Amino acid sequence: MTSSPAPSATEGFNVLSPEYLVDPLAYLGAVRLRTPLVHLPELGAWVPTRYVDIDRILQDHETFSSAVLQIPPLSPALKELIPAEDEEIVRRLFAAQLVFTDPPVHDVQRRSAQRTFTKRQVDRTMARIEEICDELIDSFVDRGEVDLMEHFARRFSLRVVGTMIGLDVDDLERFHGMVNDFSTLIGPSSADAGFLGFTDEQVAADFAGVVAGYRYFAGLVEQRRAEPRQDLVTAMITLTDDAGEPVMSTDEILAHLVGIVAAGTDTTANLVCSLVARLTAEPAVRDAAIADPSLWPAVVEEGLRRETPGDKATRMATRDVEIAGQQLHAGDLVLVLFAAANGDPDRFPDPLAFDIDRPGIAESRHFGTGRHFCLGAPIVRPEARIAMEKLFTRLPGLEARQDVAPDFAPTLMRLRNSLPVRWNVGG
């Protein structure tokens, strides 16, 4: 057992490097050959590289807590800029986020969320996905080339989520802005320097953005109470316990919507673009799926493993524990990279190959596992399948441009900024 990481094993490890962002499975494969556990000093975090360790961490919520992130305490200068009521609102939204809670609180909240995220809700959304695809493609089909992220993927994911939760496009854009402001305020609870990298004025602006969105959408929830619709917001409002009392408060409804929009927009948009880029490099698979559309679900499933668009989770050790021969202590942060699990050859032989007949694909960890398995998985898969079939049917010869360098945002979320594509117009 070692007490500190070996410099030769961790030197140069960087999850913001172009090499990682372009192909995390390949990058982490090289790291795994050197060490099963990397220390990332910039975050003060340990990064496991083997499937077996990642699965253990994700399954053992008693030893590895999800209550890792927080809204840092406000400095005296920030308290002068941010009203106490605004701070309270932001902290209430954070406290109700499923992804940052442990049992028993998590179990209660997740049961409520699952009771509203029903097959009926999914089916109702599915009925609109093909129409959304066609409407977006209609807007650029004659151009021959576009930035797929800007003109399709981002708008597609926003509109699908909007259909599900019951927001129109304008309201959803506003809500997405609120989610982005909220996300920038969250940091590791082990950090010792508050809002790292942001000026007080930027932090205050993000608080103001969250609160403005909160007040607007709290009003929208009240409108739904008065005028119910067939959407997820109404389902949350009307959910009752055994005594007939409402289960979710307005704060809890808005907190769940923040989580849904955060998980269901950028991740899905990245999946769509990553699949198009991957299929450009895998023309035999692409052509087979175009010829036989029944193959698209397998393409999406392998694409989720190979590209792993929702690629990280954070945990904190609640007690001293050994992982991969390394002693971790209570309070140590663990950064779980799903791509490390999905690229482990001990679980997925020849992991860099794109194999739509791959055995054991159900063990892929792109949606997490255990209590925090992604609630949106039932809609992400068919959403991506429909998008792929529509894009490659209506845009013959669709391919990602190889003369343009991959463009990723240098953030821990591994988000594409753009994906220039082209296709044949007019035969």
Side-chain angles (χ1 to χ4, degrees), residues 18 69 90 141 394 412:
L69 302 179
V90 174
V141 65
R394 296 201 55 196
L412 284 176

Side-chain angles (χ1 to χ4, degrees), residues 29-45:
V31 175
R32 190 184 302 106
L33 292 174
R34 303 200 306 269
T35 178
L37 193 69
V38 185
H39 191 251
L40 195 59
E42 295 85 352
L43 291 179

Side-chain angles (χ1 to χ4, degrees), residues 106-366:
H106 176 271
D107 293 345
V108 173
Q109 292 184 348
R110 186 177 176 97
R111 277 196 298 271
S112 296
Q114 285 178 317
R115 288 175 61 193
T116 60
F117 202 88
T118 62
K119 184 178 185 302
R120 179 179 296 180
Q121 290 290 346
V122 171
D123 289 346
R124 186 177 293 120
T125 303
M126 293 296 301
R128 273 283 294 148
I129 292 179
E130 289 196 24
E131 296 175 4
I132 292 170
C133 282
D134 281 328
E135 290 166 7
L136 291 171
I137 293 172
D138 284 345
S139 70
F140 60 75
V141 65
D142 295 328
R143 294 178 56 175
E145 58 180 299
V146 292
D147 176 353
L148 194 70
M149 177 61 80
E150 176 185 352
H151 290 272
F152 181 83
R154 190 174 288 118
R155 299 178 190 183
F156 171 67
S157 62
L158 277 171
R159 288 184 62 179
V160 171
V161 169
T163 297
M164 180 174 62
I165 64 181
L167 300 180
D168 63 30
V169 174
D170 290 339
D171 277 345
L172 194 64
E173 290 282 0
R174 183 196 296 251
F175 201 96
H176 194 238
M178 169 188 167
V179 170
N180 288 339
D181 288 336
F182 182 78
S183 298
T184 63
L185 297 175
I186 300 171
S189 57
S190 59
D192 59 3
F195 300 92
L196 299 174
F198 294 95
T199 66
D200 287 349
E201 289 72 21
Q202 289 171 319
V203 173
D206 286 329
F207 267 88
V210 173
V211 171
Y214 169 88
R215 289 176 173 147
Y216 177 86
F217 288 104
L220 186 144
V221 170
E222 292 309 311
Q223 289 177 16
R224 286 291 195 282
R225 292 189 199 279
E227 302 176 8
R229 298 182 184 177
Q230 290 186 329
D231 57 33
L232 193 58
V233 172
T234 302
M236 292 180 178
I237 290 170
T238 56
L239 183 66
T240 58
D241 59 20
D242 293 340
E245 296 297 320
V247 171
M248 292 188 185
S249 67
T250 296
D251 282 358
E252 288 170 331
I253 291 170
L254 291 177
H256 284 315
L257 294 182
V258 166
I260 290 167
V261 172
T265 52
D266 291 336
T267 299
T268 302
N270 274 271
L271 173 59
V272 168
C273 287
S274 293
L275 279 169
V276 171
R278 176 56 55 187
L279 291 175
T280 300
E282 304 284 350
V285 176
R286 176 198 63 204
D287 293 346
I290 291 172
D292 180 3
S294 70
L295 297 177
W296 282 119
V299 171
V300 169
E301 203 64 32
E302 176 68 346
L304 283 163
R305 183 201 66 85
R306 185 61 180 85
E307 296 298 323
T308 316
D311 66 336
K312 295 178 182 67
T314 49
R315 298 290 186 268
M316 181 176 289
T318 61
R319 60 180 178 85
D320 292 354
V321 61
E322 181 185 337
I323 290 289
Q326 170 69 45
Q327 184 69 41
L328 273 62
H329 301 288
D332 280 356
L333 186 67
V334 179
L335 180 65
V336 176
L337 303 177
F338 297 139
N342 290 343
D344 188 340
D346 287 343
R347 183 54 61 113
F348 303 106
D350 195 11
L352 300 187
F354 195 85
D355 181 3
I356 62 173
D357 297 315
R358 181 178 295 280
I361 190 64
E363 299 302 310
S364 179
R365 288 294 175 255
H366 42 268

Side-chain angles (χ1 to χ4, degrees), residues 362-427:
E363 299 302 310
S364 179
R365 288 294 175 255
H366 42 268
F367 288 128
T369 189
R371 283 175 163 82
H372 283 278
F373 184 80
C374 177
L375 274 174
I379 198 168
V380 171
R381 289 182 171 102
E383 184 181 359
R385 172 187 60 77
I386 292 170
M388 289 300 100
E389 188 168 354
K390 282 289 185 181
L391 286 168
F392 282 99
T393 298
R394 296 201 55 196
L395 306 175
L398 176 65
E399 63 178 6
R401 288 182 51 180
Q402 302 300 292
D403 58 334
V404 179
D407 182 18
F408 287 87
T411 72
L412 284 176
M413 292 305 295
R414 188 177 173 257
L415 303 177
R416 286 182 181 268
N417 288 320
S418 63
L419 183 73
V421 299
R422 56 191 170 199
W423 61 94
N424 302 323
V425 176

